[in-house]
């Protein structure tokens, strides 16, 4: 990296030129005490000798840790830096600005404290063992920006070993918000999910999770496509995850290219990058939905999508209908922590999607099938729905 250049004001040149550098200088978060330490009396309560009473009580009744420490209110945001945003494998240190950003979004939109943890390993066993050993300090684990297919195994193994919520946001946050937007697009056009056939471009973390939640929600059919075309049971080049996907998707028995699968499809969901040719978009069913979520360049440009689709969504904030994970993960964890859930179930994810959709159900238009991240109704609605679902599914501890 080039040597640092200081301008006459004593700032680094990058800070003066680019406001992103200025904002990130020194990091974006800090630890703040919730109790005062003003005198010896406060000190004796916050630390020794008073703290010993609390430690002893927890040792005798371990469940008290949730009442007398921050554990039940804090999430670990864990990454190995192998699949960061659109940046790819940039390593743990370079991933920290994103993890800090995630943590402040947890606080801003869900009232949940979060701690960024960037691990200097990509070994699946080492990641699992490290998180298991860190888990006593946290009420939940948000896995972030871990490349597929390792992310699937890491999440599954942690869910099996821990009794706190484990949630890979790249999978499930994306899936929840996508389902919410799709529910409202269907409502807007007087269609049921069961009438729709969707094509997903991308068989990574987000694509697989979206396929699963759409099936759970009752969509008519969904085909998932990777670089080689439709993920179908007649292919012999599939890994274990894609073989599983082929087993529960593609009831129509499609094969071949993404472009071929789009012919007559009602829904396009893009989570892969790349570009879909306009002639292929033109073959979709009348009144189709195009959710092209790659950043910064959607797989189908909105100007093209609007020629053929009734509803268009992207992953960008400068177009209507932004599919943004921040609409889901703060409320999902806030609801799970509120009832001290042992896990985040499929029912809790579906409840989050329905609650998110319901926020704007009475305000629907082609440019508003999903709320803004700054809609203050979102966090409370998702939190309440997830907490209720956790109780209904028997994973709540209070």
């Amino acid at each position: 990296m080039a040597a640092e250049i200081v301008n006459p004001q004593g700032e680094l040149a990058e800070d003066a030129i680019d406001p992103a550098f200025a904002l990130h200088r020194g990091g974006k978060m800090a630890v703040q005490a919730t109790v005062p330490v003003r005198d010896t009396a406060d000190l004796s309560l916050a630390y020794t000798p008073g703290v010993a009473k609390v430690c002893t009580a927890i040792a005798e009744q371990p469940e008290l840790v949730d009442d007398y420490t921050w554990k039940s209110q804090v999430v670990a945001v864990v990454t190995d830096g192998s699949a960061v945003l659109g940046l790819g494998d940039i390593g743990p240190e370079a991933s920290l600005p994103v993890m800090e950003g995630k943590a402040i979004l947890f606080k801003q939109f869900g009232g949940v404290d979060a701690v960024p943890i960037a691990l200097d390993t990509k070994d699946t066993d080492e990641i699992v063992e490290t998180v298991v050993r860190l888990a006593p300090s946290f009420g939940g684990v948000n896995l972030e920006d871990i490349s597929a297919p390792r992310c699937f195994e890491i999440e599954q193994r942690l869910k099996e070993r821990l009794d706190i919520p484990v949630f890979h946001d790249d999978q499930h946050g994306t899936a929840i918000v996508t389902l919410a937007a799709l529910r409202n697009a269907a409502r807007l056009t007087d269609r049921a999910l069961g009438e729709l056939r969707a094509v997903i471009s991308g068989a990574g973390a987000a694509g697989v999770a979206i396929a699963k939640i759409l099936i759970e929600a009752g969509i008519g059919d969904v085909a998932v496509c990777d670089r080689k075309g439709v993920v179908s049971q007649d292919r012999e080049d599939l890994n274990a995850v894609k073989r599983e996907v082929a087993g529960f998707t593609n009831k129509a028995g499609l094969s071949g290219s993404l472009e071929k699968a789009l012919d007559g499809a009602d829904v396009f969901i893009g989570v892969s990058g790349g570009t879909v040719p306009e002639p292929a978009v033109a073959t979709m069913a009348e009144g189709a939905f195009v959710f092209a979520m790659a950043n910064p360049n959607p797989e189908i440009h909105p100007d093209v999508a609007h020629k053929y689709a009734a509803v268009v969504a992207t992953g960008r904030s400068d177009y209507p209908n932004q599919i943004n994970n921040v609409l889901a993960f703060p409320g999902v964890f806030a609801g799970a922590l509120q009832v001290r859930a042992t896990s985040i179930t499929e029912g809790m994810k579906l409840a989050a999607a329905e609650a998110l959709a319901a926020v704007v159900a009475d305000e629907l238009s082609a440019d508003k099938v999903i709320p803004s991240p700054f809609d203050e109704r979102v966090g409370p609605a998702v939190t309440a729905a997830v907490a209720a679902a956790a109780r209904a599914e028997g994973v709540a501890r209070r």
Side-chain angles (χ1 to χ4, degrees):
M1 185 175 178
E4 294 181 344
I5 300 174
V6 179
N7 64 24
Q9 288 73 40
E11 302 169 315
L12 290 179
E14 292 91 339
D15 289 15
I17 296 169
D18 190 330
F21 281 91
L23 182 143
H24 284 76
R25 175 155 297 280
K28 301 190 292 292
M29 55 187 297
V31 175
Q32 179 176 327
T34 61
V35 297
V37 182
R38 298 160 299 195
D39 50 34
T40 56
D42 288 344
L43 181 61
S44 69
L45 290 173
Y47 200 54
T48 187
V51 73
K53 297 178 183 178
V54 180
C55 293
T56 301
I58 294 171
E60 294 173 353
Q61 294 180 259
E63 66 275 12
L64 292 180
V65 69
D66 289 319
D67 294 313
Y68 294 107
T69 72
W70 78 340
K71 175 181 170 72
S72 65
Q73 303 170 67
V74 67
V75 171
V77 180
V78 179
T79 190
D80 63 0
S82 62
V84 178
L85 291 173
L87 303 177
D89 185 357
I90 60 175
E93 289 87 356
S95 77
L96 270 176
V98 178
M99 300 310 116
E100 288 184 3
K102 195 82 174 188
I104 65 174
L105 296 181
F106 264 110
K107 188 66 173 180
Q108 174 75 21
F109 295 105
V112 173
D113 291 305
V115 177
I117 298 175
L119 302 179
D120 189 14
T121 179
K122 295 177 193 170
D123 182 271
T124 296
D125 292 337
E126 289 182 354
I127 292 172
V128 170
E129 292 303 321
T130 301
V131 175
V132 167
R133 282 158 177 72
L134 289 170
S137 295
F138 298 97
V141 175
N142 183 95
L143 299 173
E144 189 77 16
D145 293 347
I146 299 173
S147 62
R150 294 177 307 119
C151 60
F152 301 110
E153 180 180 352
I154 290 168
E155 182 188 40
Q156 185 57 40
R157 287 172 60 181
L158 287 173
K159 287 168 67 175
E160 291 168 355
R161 293 186 59 180
L162 299 178
D163 65 349
I164 57 176
V166 177
F167 185 86
H168 184 209
D169 184 54
D170 301 322
Q171 292 184 62
H172 310 300
T174 307
I176 288 167
V177 183
T178 301
L179 174 59
L182 186 58
R183 282 193 182 282
N184 276 345
R187 286 172 179 150
L188 180 66
T189 56
D190 294 320
R191 282 182 279 181
L193 286 180
E195 300 173 14
L196 304 177
R197 178 171 73 84
V199 175
I200 298 173
S201 175
V208 171
I210 292 169
K212 288 182 176 179
I213 203 169
L214 293 185
I215 294 293
E216 287 279 346
I219 197 165
D221 196 11
V222 56
V224 179
C225 299
D226 62 11
R227 291 182 179 87
K228 296 182 180 180
V230 177
V231 174
S232 57
Q233 291 183 312
D234 61 353
R235 283 178 50 179
E236 297 180 356
D237 61 339
L238 303 179
N239 62 28
V241 173
K242 291 181 183 179
R243 283 197 300 273
E244 179 190 359
V245 169
F248 67 80
T249 61
N250 193 23
K251 291 189 296 188
L254 302 176
S255 60
S257 68
L258 167 68
E259 290 81 4
K260 182 178 178 182
L262 278 178
D263 189 1
D266 302 291
V267 185
F268 170 81
I269 297 171
V271 284
S272 65
T275 302
V276 179
E278 182 171 346
V281 182
T283 68
M284 294 181 69
E286 184 178 353
F289 311 142
V290 170
F291 294 179
M293 299 187 285
N295 267 312
N297 300 310
E299 295 90 345
I300 302 170
H301 192 278
D303 291 344
V304 173
H306 278 296
K307 294 180 183 180
Y308 309 101
V311 176
V312 177
T314 73
R316 292 173 49 150
S317 59
D318 54 347
Y319 288 101
N321 297 326
Q322 184 190 21
I323 307 292
N324 191 328
N325 289 19
V326 76
L327 290 163
F329 69 81
V332 168
F333 269 99
L337 294 178
Q338 184 181 99
V339 297
R340 297 179 187 169
T342 57
S343 62
I344 294 172
T345 65
E346 292 304 311
M348 292 160 72
K349 297 171 200 171
L350 291 171
E354 184 58 48
L356 180 56
V359 169
V360 291
D362 296 329
E363 307 161 21
L364 293 182
S365 70
D367 285 343
K368 192 174 185 179
V369 296
I370 200 74
S372 160
F374 296 98
D375 189 322
E376 295 182 354
R377 298 171 294 178
V378 169
V382 174
T383 298
V386 169
R391 291 191 177 102
E393 300 214 334
V395 297
R397 283 181 280 206
R398 75 169 188 177

